[in-house]
Amino acid sequence: DPSFRVLRNQLQTAVNDDGYEIDIIRRTAKDGDPHPLRMSSSEDDLWAVQVSSGEKMVAGRRFQQLVVAASGQMAMMQTIHPLDFVRIKTALSSDLQRDPLKRPKDKLQAEVVLALWNSYLQHGEAA
């Protein structure tokens, strides 16, 4: 989507013309990992932000699903397994150390992904 623009006050976040936001996240830097980590040589490009749950996401099971755009274009989405995402987000939503403004979002994300899993994604896969 060419309408995505990096937010100047949050270089890890891009938003498109429809208001859809994405964050570029990573696990905490270790073993000589570069930090901060920018996504290209451009100073105006996205920069990955470290998150405490990043290691759990990296260690999660892999999942791939064919996705189809409204235009009919198809792509293979590769990501963390939805149930691992639900587990991580559910834990974040009940973590008292978590920013209280982010906990309801974490809970809602877990609920939405679980509903998608139950309704559309599991295709007979054992959870």
Side-chain angles (χ1 to χ4, degrees):
D1 177 350
S3 73
F4 272 102
R5 302 287 179 261
V6 178
L7 297 181
R8 291 296 113 217
N9 61 340
Q10 295 178 2
L11 295 177
Q12 76 278 3
T13 304
V15 63
N16 72 3
D17 288 347
D18 294 325
Y20 185 80
E21 290 186 13
I22 61 163
D23 287 331
I24 305 298
I25 61 172
R26 66 173 293 187
R27 65 173 168 78
T28 303
K30 65 179 184 181
D31 300 329
D33 287 346
H35 182 72
L37 178 64
R38 64 179 169 190
M39 304 312 295
S40 77
S41 60
S42 171
E43 289 288 329
D44 295 327
D45 200 357
L46 288 161
W47 291 69
V49 64
Q50 298 179 94
V51 294
S52 61
S53 59
E55 192 64 45
K56 291 176 184 168
M57 289 188 185
V58 169
R61 295 171 287 170
R62 300 289 128 225
F63 180 80
Q64 59 182 19
Q65 176 69 43
L66 182 66
V67 293
V68 182
S71 67
Q73 289 185 297
M74 294 185 284
M76 188 61 73
M77 176 182 66
Q78 297 183 26
T79 186
I80 184 174
H81 194 285
L83 295 179
D84 292 345
F85 180 86
V86 167
R87 180 180 42 80
I88 292 165
K89 285 297 192 168
T90 299
L92 283 172
S93 73
S94 61
D95 182 352
L96 297 179
Q97 301 301 312
R98 178 84 165 148
D99 179 341
L101 297 175
K102 293 182 179 181
R103 290 195 315 250
K105 175 194 64 143
D106 294 325
K107 183 176 188 241
L108 181 59
Q109 288 174 337
E111 291 169 351
V112 167
V113 171
L114 183 58
L116 288 170
W117 173 260
N118 288 335
S119 297
Y120 304 106
L121 298 175
Q122 60 185 320
H123 303 299
E125 178 180 324

